[in-house]
Amino acid sequence: MEVICGRKGDRMSKKWYRIQKLKAIFVLALAVIFTNAVVSYGNTVKLIHNQQWVTSSYKVITQVESIQSRLQDTETAQRNYLITADADDLKTYLVAYEETNRNTQTLSKLTADNHQTQQWISLLEPKITSRLNILQEEISLRQNQGFEAVRQRILSVKDKQNSKEIQQLIHDFLEVEQNLLQQGMQQSQASSQKAIVTFFIAAIVDLVLVALLYDLLWRYIRQLQQTEMALRQSENRLRAMIDAEPECIKLIARDGTLLEINAEGLAMMEVESADVLIGKPVDAVIVPEYRAAFADLHKSICQGNKGTLEFEIVGFKGTRRYIETHAVPLLNESDGTLIHLALTRDVTQQKQAEQKIREQAALLDVSTDAIVVRNIRNQILFWNKGAQSLYGWKAEEVLGKNVLQLLYKEISPQLEDAYLTVMNTGEWRGELHQLTREGKVIIVESRWTLIRHDNGQPKSILSVNTEITQQKQLEAQLLRSQRLESIGTLAGGIAHDLNNILSPILMSVQLLQRKLPDQQSQQILQTLENNVKRGANLLKQVLSFARGIEGKRTIVQIQPLMAEIEQIIAQTFPNSIICQIDIPKNLWYVRGDITQLHQVLINLVINARDAMPNGGILRIAAENLVIGEHSAQINIDAKVGSYIAIVVTDTGMGMSSEVQERIFEPFFTTKEVGKGTGLGLSTVLGIIKNHGGFVNVYSQVGRGTQFTVYLPASTSRDTHSLSLELESVIGDS
């Protein structure tokens, strides 16, 4: 690029140097020609002046000589007349006399602008006049007195003296004037020679300059011809390249008419020749609703701005096309104004594809599944409304972001395996744990499909994710219920066998107490009896869990039951545990075994106490609750209807998710040996299920645990029976 710029700079410098050289030579030639013209003009004027002066001088001399000659003729004719008295001589005298006067007047006119000659004429003219008067007097004397009188007069000195003075004046003037004439002729000859020499020198210089200019002009013309040929070749190559351009290139004048268009533009306009379009308004093919926008764009471009516009045109054969134009201003070298250069391409297929994509996107947005498209660098390209509903982010918030950083806590081996599988086989299906915007972990069934370029290279990955969190929870509850049912069946059989084993042992202990009355034996047997009864009580709990307890069912009020629990807590729990009980007065009734419900609450509050060894807050609350169909689908044990929800919350150590999955298993405990049997919560679950209810648990490690017991509320008929029982009790008392 630097080399090209350097060559262009050298060409510009040489061109500038040639132009300056031509200018200098042209100015020099003009100066020389002007100088030659001035010199020639001066010489010519001087030569003409000399010639005029010589001619004038020659005329004066001729006229003076004529005066002298005519004066002599006059005297001669007068002398002849005086001698002969011939009339012809008198006539000749009169003619000569007139010519002498006329010549004198002519001489005066010729020398009107010559002061010295005028002074000489002023001396000569009186003398000639005097001489002519004398001649006339002699004629008159001859005619009146005769020849003798005239002879005497002629011989007088005065007459001779006057004639000599006239001759002397004429002689002196002619001598001086002839000398001046000779000098003027010499000067005129010298000026002529000088003018000739100057003319030849100027002619030679002009010829040299003309030759030099011809040579330079000839070279410059050859360079112009070569440049024109190069420009023509360059223009042809440029035209070929422009015509080969797959996009339309147009040049538009300031008045909106077309100046140039390439072959692709002709095809786009559906014409065969540019002559059909050149000079015509370009907006003639634009659909009317886009013409105002195009006019604004054209005006902005002609003001020096750049712009882009999409509009629709109709070709000469009626084909409608969507056009995208990129326009820039271009300097018009002829007048320095800006014109419109447009690069235009047909985006009809792109528009149709975009419309199809929008239609497909609308269909995808209807889907309740989360549909996500990402490139191979894991940047999100598409995010439908199903994804927005599932994860909580809007499309404009996630486009371009990394999907792995957005939806996953960490890159798990399962995720890496999924990526490798879809890249190798083109698809993958499996379950993934993902995050929502609120940080909630959800489980999705994900289906990945690899999308490739036309050349087969991977382009993007289409993911369709269906949330199965509730389904997984229901499956876990079902598996847990099945597992507990199996464990309950096994535990029931074991408890029955152990009970059969403990019965003879207890009977034997009682017999031995009667036969061994000593205190030491009694203490040992009492300890043995207590342990056997404790084992029997434990087996009773196992049987209660395994088979359910079929005690006497009555209408139970929760408020009195809560009061008993609160009293037990106040009497037995450490002071570091603060108990808060919130029981509304309008709480519904429950039909069940009050002893078993008492056992449930006792087990829950004792577990809460054990979870807070350093103290904390124990909160017991209850509320009326109606469970609908949606809530019933979340929990496998729930049914549509009215419930009383009893919530026991502690601020203790909390439980991990792994522990939460096993807390209702018989004999599972996290307590130390001797502090728990692992049957408390399993018994609670058995009692609650036996009453037609269910239990939910929510716990976080270090933040506490919440047990929510749902018991079906009694019907209005049960409530009426309870009222009758109460009235009966009151009447008996």
Side-chain angles (χ1 to χ4, degrees):
M1 187 66 182
E2 293 179 356
V3 174
I4 294 174
C5 292
R7 291 177 179 175
K8 184 176 181 182
D10 292 340
R11 289 196 298 269
M12 293 297 293
S13 298
K14 291 180 179 179
K15 181 178 180 182
W16 181 86
Y17 174 75
R18 286 196 300 269
I19 293 174
Q20 296 301 320
K21 185 177 179 181
L22 283 173
K23 287 182 178 179
I25 294 175
F26 183 73
V27 171
L28 178 61
L30 288 178
V32 171
I33 292 172
F34 179 76
T35 303
N36 291 339
V38 170
V39 172
S40 298
Y41 176 77
N43 291 334
T44 303
V45 170
K46 188 175 181 181
L47 182 60
I48 292 172
H49 178 72
N50 288 337
Q51 290 293 335
Q52 289 177 348
W53 185 86
V54 169
T55 302
S56 177
S57 178
Y58 180 77
K59 288 181 178 181
V60 170
I61 292 173
T62 303
Q63 198 66 31
V64 171
E65 289 178 348
S66 178
I67 291 171
Q68 185 181 20
S69 175
R70 286 302 174 187
L71 185 58
Q72 289 176 358
D73 290 342
T74 302
E75 289 179 348
T76 301
Q78 189 259 359
R79 289 288 185 272
N80 291 332
Y81 176 73
L82 291 178
I83 295 172
T84 63
D86 189 357
D88 292 333
D89 292 335
L90 180 59
K91 186 178 180 180
T92 303
Y93 161 75
L94 293 174
V95 171
Y97 180 87
E98 292 295 331
E99 288 183 355
T100 299
N101 288 329
R102 189 166 53 252
N103 289 336
T104 302
Q105 294 175 359
T106 302
L107 177 63
S108 179
K109 292 179 180 180
L110 288 174
T111 59
D113 56 347
N114 193 330
H115 180 66
Q116 292 180 353
T117 305
Q118 285 292 320
Q119 288 181 349
W120 177 79
I121 290 173
S122 64
L123 293 175
L124 178 63
E125 189 174 5
K127 291 183 178 297
I128 292 175
T129 303
S130 176
R131 179 62 179 165
L132 291 175
N133 289 335
I134 292 171
L135 293 176
Q136 186 64 33
E137 290 176 356
E138 288 179 350
I139 292 217
S140 297
L141 185 62
R142 173 74 174 83
Q143 289 176 350
N144 295 325
Q145 297 181 9
F147 176 76
E148 188 61 29
V150 173
R151 187 176 68 82
Q152 292 295 327
R153 173 131 185 169
I154 293 173
L155 294 176
S156 65
V157 177
K158 182 179 179 181
D159 184 43
K160 295 179 179 179
Q161 184 66 28
N162 182 266
S163 180
K164 289 180 179 180
E165 288 178 357
I166 292 174
Q167 294 297 326
Q168 187 64 41
L169 282 173
I170 292 175
H171 178 270
D172 293 340
F173 177 79
L174 289 175
E175 185 178 359
V176 172
E177 195 66 26
Q178 287 177 355
N179 290 332
L180 291 175
L181 178 59
Q182 186 66 28
Q183 292 177 3
M185 292 179 66
Q186 291 176 356
Q187 290 179 357
S188 178
Q189 186 178 4
S191 297
S192 299
Q193 293 177 353
K194 183 178 179 181
I196 292 171
V197 172
T198 304
F199 174 78
F200 279 109
I201 293 173
I204 293 172
V205 173
D206 291 342
L207 287 175
V208 172
L209 288 175
V210 168
L212 182 60
L213 282 174
Y214 176 79
D215 180 67
L216 291 175
L217 288 174
W218 182 75
R219 292 183 181 181
Y220 188 67
I221 290 172
R222 285 199 60 186
Q223 291 175 354
L224 287 178
Q225 291 175 345
Q226 294 174 356
T227 303
E228 183 180 0
M229 184 178 296
L231 287 175
R232 190 179 298 110
Q233 293 176 352
S234 177
E235 182 180 359
N236 292 334
R237 289 194 294 266
L238 181 61
R239 170 59 64 180
M241 288 188 291
I242 291 176
D243 287 339
E245 174 66 31
E247 296 180 351
C248 171
I249 299 176
K250 293 186 291 186
L251 196 61
I252 306 170
R254 293 179 66 87
D255 60 357
T257 58
L258 186 65
L259 298 176
E260 292 288 345
I261 189 169
N262 68 338
E264 180 61 25
L266 297 178
M268 190 179 295
M269 300 297 178
E270 299 180 331
V271 296
E272 296 181 357
S273 174
D275 296 335
V276 180
L277 302 174
I278 299 300
K280 303 294 178 22
V282 293
D283 60 354
V285 296
I286 299 177
V287 175
E289 54 263 32
Y290 293 99
R291 290 178 184 174
F294 182 82
D296 293 338
L297 174 68
H298 178 68
K299 181 178 179 181
S300 176
I301 297 303
C302 292
Q303 292 175 350
N305 303 314
K306 297 180 180 180
T308 301
L309 181 67
E310 288 187 2
F311 54 91
E312 193 175 2
I313 66 170
V314 179
F316 279 73
K317 294 182 180 179
T319 305
R320 297 176 70 95
R321 289 183 173 88
Y322 282 99
I323 299 299
E324 181 184 59
T325 181
H326 299 272
V328 296
L330 181 66
L331 180 64
N332 189 358
E333 298 292 345
S334 61
D335 56 6
T337 59
L338 296 175
I339 56 179
H340 182 162
L341 175 62
L343 180 64
T344 304
R345 60 178 178 173
D346 187 349
V347 294
T348 305
Q349 294 182 354
Q350 178 181 340
K351 282 288 185 180
Q352 293 173 350
E354 290 176 356
Q355 179 64 26
K356 186 176 181 180
I357 290 173
R358 283 193 293 269
E359 293 173 356
Q360 293 174 347
L363 294 176
L364 294 178
D365 284 337
V366 173
S367 174
T368 57
D369 292 334
I371 300 176
V372 180
V373 179
R374 52 174 166 150
N375 58 23
I376 57 175
R377 295 186 299 275
N378 294 313
Q379 293 174 325
I380 298 174
L381 305 178
F382 178 77
W383 184 273
N384 76 330
K385 290 184 179 179
Q388 177 178 330
S389 300
L390 178 59
Y391 300 112
W393 286 287
K394 295 181 179 179
E396 56 268 20
E397 295 176 330
V398 300
L399 292 179
K401 292 187 178 180
N402 191 304
V403 69
L404 300 181
Q405 298 175 357
L406 191 71
L407 299 180
Y408 302 94
K409 286 184 177 180
E410 58 184 10
I411 308 301
S412 63
Q414 182 189 16
L415 199 59
E416 294 178 352
D417 179 68
Y419 184 79
L420 293 175
T421 301
V422 75
M423 295 300 290
N424 291 329
T425 65
E427 59 181 3
W428 176 83
R429 180 187 295 266
E431 296 179 2
L432 294 172
H433 288 75
Q434 296 178 335
L435 294 175
T436 65
R437 185 171 189 170
E438 292 77 17
K440 179 182 177 182
V441 178
I442 60 174
I443 304 173
V444 298
E445 181 183 358
S446 188
R447 300 172 294 280
W448 292 10
T449 302
L450 182 64
I451 301 174
R452 299 180 180 273
H453 288 285
D454 294 337
N455 57 5
Q457 295 298 319
K459 179 181 179 181
S460 56
I461 298 175
L462 170 67
S463 302
V464 181
N465 300 329
T466 305
E467 184 183 9
I468 58 173
T469 306
Q470 297 179 1
Q471 177 181 341
K472 283 295 181 181
Q473 291 175 349
L474 293 175
E475 290 178 358
Q477 292 178 3
L478 178 61
L479 291 175
R480 183 172 61 189
S481 299
Q482 292 175 350
R483 184 168 63 250
L484 291 177
E485 183 179 355
S486 300
I487 293 175
T489 303
L490 177 62
I494 296 174
H496 181 75
D497 292 340
L498 289 176
N499 196 25
N500 292 334
I501 294 172
L502 289 176
S503 294
I505 294 175
L506 182 59
M507 294 175 60
S508 300
V509 169
Q510 292 175 351
L511 291 173
L512 288 173
Q513 286 178 341
R514 295 177 181 178
K515 291 182 179 182
L516 300 173
D518 59 284
Q519 185 177 359
Q520 183 177 5
S521 298
Q522 287 293 324
Q523 290 178 351
I524 294 172
L525 292 173
Q526 186 64 42
T527 301
L528 182 61
E529 182 182 5
N530 291 337
N531 285 314
V532 171
K533 289 181 178 180
R534 185 177 179 186
N537 189 30
L538 177 61
L539 291 175
K540 185 178 179 181
Q541 290 184 4
V542 172
L543 288 173
S544 297
F545 165 75
R547 299 177 181 177
I549 301 174
E550 297 295 337
K552 183 180 179 181
R553 299 291 180 90
T554 61
I555 300 300
V556 179
Q557 287 182 294
I558 299 300
Q559 292 89 340
L561 186 61
M562 288 295 182
E564 294 180 8
I565 298 299
E566 183 179 9
Q567 185 177 5
I568 293 173
I569 292 173
Q571 294 176 354
T572 61
F573 281 26
N575 295 330
S576 59
I577 296 177
I578 300 173
C579 180
Q580 298 177 351
I581 296 181
D582 182 14
I583 306 298
K585 294 181 180 180
N586 60 345
L587 201 64
W588 293 332
Y589 300 101
V590 175
R591 184 173 184 82
D593 189 331
I594 191 170
T595 303
Q596 294 180 6
L597 295 178
H598 188 276
Q599 183 180 1
V600 168
L601 294 176
I602 285 295
N603 277 325
L604 292 178
V605 298
I606 288 176
N607 285 340
R609 179 201 66 185
D610 295 340
M612 298 184 290
N614 298 322
I617 298 175
L618 172 61
R619 186 173 183 273
I620 303 174
E623 63 175 343
N624 297 325
L625 186 67
V626 177
I627 295 179
E629 293 183 359
H630 178 71
S631 299
Q633 293 176 357
I634 297 177
N635 196 302
I636 193 172
D637 296 320
K639 296 179 181 179
V640 177
S642 301
Y643 286 81
I644 293 177
I646 302 174
V647 183
V648 179
T649 306
D650 65 69
T651 59
M653 297 177 291
M655 296 179 290
S656 64
S657 58
E658 292 79 6
V659 173
Q660 292 181 51
E661 291 179 358
R662 301 187 61 190
I663 56 175
F664 293 109
E665 294 181 7
F667 309 111
F668 174 79
T669 181
T670 59
K671 299 178 181 179
E672 298 178 2
V673 178
K675 293 186 178 182
T677 61
L679 292 174
L681 289 178
S682 61
T683 301
V684 166
L685 182 61
I687 292 172
I688 297 302
K689 283 189 173 183
N690 189 262
H691 281 72
F694 60 96
V695 182
N696 281 343
V697 182
Y698 176 77
S699 181
Q700 286 185 333
V701 177
R703 300 186 64 178
T705 303
Q706 175 178 292
F707 281 89
T708 304
V709 176
Y710 295 89
L711 295 171
S714 64
T715 62
S716 58
R717 181 181 300 175
D718 294 333
T719 304
H720 180 67
S721 299
L722 175 61
S723 300
L724 294 176
E725 291 177 7
L726 291 175
E727 291 177 357
S728 176
V729 172
I730 294 173
D732 293 340
S733 60

